[in-house]
Structures are given as C-alpha cells and as structure tokens.
Amino acid sequence: MDWGTVTTEDLIEALKEVDWSSPPRPFNEFVSKFTVPRSSNKWNSRLKCNLYYYRTNYFLMILFILGLGFLRRPLAIVAAMSTALTMAFLNDSFASAFSEKVTRTIRQFSPHLAAKMRHPLTPVLRGRPSSKRTIYICGQPRWTFVMGFSVVSFILWFVSCGLLTLLWALTTGLLATIVHASFRTPNLKARLNTFREEFRAVWRNYSEL
C-alpha cells in the first residue's frame, strides 16, 4: 500500500472500521528505531502508516497520560473512561462487539429482553445489502449511545473541574503520538500488515456481493 496516496479521510475511515481488539505491538518494537524522514512526502507516508499500525499503542499511551493527569481527581478518571468509551463507540468493530457481549450477558438472565435488543435486519437493495448500513448497539442506533455518553462525559468533566487537565493531557498525548509516528521508521512487519488488512477489506467487500 502506498500511504502517500492515502488521504486523511481514508485513514479516518480505516481507523473507524478496523478491529481495535488486537493487542498492542511489543514495546521493544514500538521504540526500536527512529530516523528523520528525508522529505515531506516520506514524512506524510510514514505518519499515516505508523498511526494505522501502532493505533492500539497510541490509544493506550494517551490513556496512560490521562491517568497520570487525573491521579488526584477520581471523578475525572470516570469522566475520561466515559469519554474513551464514547470515542470507541465510533468504531464499527468495537460497537458491534460491545453490543454482542452485552446482549449475550443479558440473555443469561432475561432471554425475552435480549431478543428485543437485537438490531433490525440490514435493508437489501436489488439483491445486495445496503452499503450505508446503520450500526446498532443493543437494538438502538449507535448515535443514541454516542450522544448519551457524550452528555454524561461533559457533566462529569464539569463537576470534576478537570477540563484544563483534560486539555493538557490530550495535548501532551497527541503531541507524543505525532512525534513518535513521525520519527518511528516503518518496518517490514508494518508494511506486510497493511497489505494483509487491505486484502481482508477487499475480500470482505467481495463476499458481501
């Protein structure tokens, strides 16, 4: 995959659809080799490749920095977790997995309630599933959960008075992510992984036809 031709919109869409349940890359690999990119095009390609390949590492690093900033504010930690969950709901794979796990747990206690939590069938147009499918969480459109948790997160941030700490921690985490992604040399494993993810995406689209 030529990351130089991948737009920012394509990268965001890929991060939205990719499976985030994969474990982070080993720490030794994460900090093994750093070099200065030789040109702006090389930097652009490297940044996108590393953001995609080390996405779980960056997510955990930002959570760690947030945790350090909120050691003296327990309520702010809850707000941070609620905010992280809100952002995770935007990922298709996480939203579907979360809904499935909650439904299975409720099915053990109330099968009737679990049956109501099943998402509606995907509409079919001319014999093919609709490409603009709506993601459901526990039988409700995803946006209802995103909006609900966003409101709860905002209230918790306001009550805990941790907005300034949040801005500082997020700025530090994002800056550390950009610096690492800019100078971490993409290895062969990263390139092979992107090719494998690209093949899976193409195969998934083909199987839905």
Side-chain angles (χ1 to χ4, degrees), residues 14-62:
L15 292 175
K16 179 181 176 182
E17 296 180 356
V18 75
D19 184 11
W20 283 72
S21 61
S22 57
R25 309 298 175 184
F27 182 76
N28 293 336
E29 175 188 343
F30 188 62
V31 297
S32 63
K33 185 179 181 180
F34 295 89
T35 57
V36 178
R38 292 174 291 180
S39 64
S40 60
N41 292 333
K42 291 288 185 180
W43 171 81
N44 185 36
S45 178
R46 176 185 298 186
L47 180 67
K48 295 173 183 177
C49 179
N50 285 333
L51 285 176
Y52 185 85
Y53 183 69
Y54 294 110
R55 57 186 179 273
T56 307
N57 298 72
Y58 294 142
F59 182 72
L60 294 178
M61 181 175 65
I62 293 176

Side-chain angles (χ1 to χ4, degrees), residues 143-188:
W143 67 266
T144 58
F145 277 79
V146 173
M147 292 298 297
F149 275 87
S150 297
V151 172
V152 172
S153 300
F154 178 79
I155 294 175
L156 291 175
W157 285 122
F158 182 80
V159 173
S160 64
C161 301
L163 289 177
L164 290 179
T165 306
L166 171 65
L167 293 177
W168 172 85
L170 283 179
T171 302
T172 304
L174 293 176
L175 182 61
T177 298
I178 294 176
V179 170
H180 181 277
S182 298
F183 293 97
R184 174 64 174 91
T185 305
N187 52 20
L188 179 60

Side-chain angles (χ1 to χ4, degrees), residues 59-150:
F59 182 72
L60 294 178
M61 181 175 65
I62 293 176
L63 288 182
F64 177 75
I65 295 175
L66 287 173
L68 291 179
F70 298 133
L71 286 178
R72 297 183 179 180
R73 299 177 182 270
L75 189 58
I77 296 178
V78 179
M81 295 175 61
S82 178
T83 303
L85 189 59
T86 303
M87 298 175 62
F89 281 146
L90 298 176
N91 178 260
D92 297 350
S93 178
F94 178 86
S96 301
F98 177 86
S99 178
E100 183 65 23
K101 290 182 180 180
V102 172
T103 304
R104 287 182 179 179
T105 303
I106 295 179
R107 187 182 295 120
Q108 299 177 358
F109 304 96
S110 177
H112 180 69
L113 179 59
K116 292 183 178 181
M117 295 171 60
R118 294 177 180 175
H119 61 80
L121 296 177
T122 303
V124 177
L125 301 177
R126 296 181 180 180
R128 297 182 180 180
S130 175
S131 57
K132 297 182 179 180
R133 63 189 184 97
T134 302
I135 302 298
Y136 289 87
I137 302 177
C138 300
Q140 301 297 324
R142 172 170 53 185
W143 67 266
T144 58
F145 277 79
V146 173
M147 292 298 297
F149 275 87
S150 297

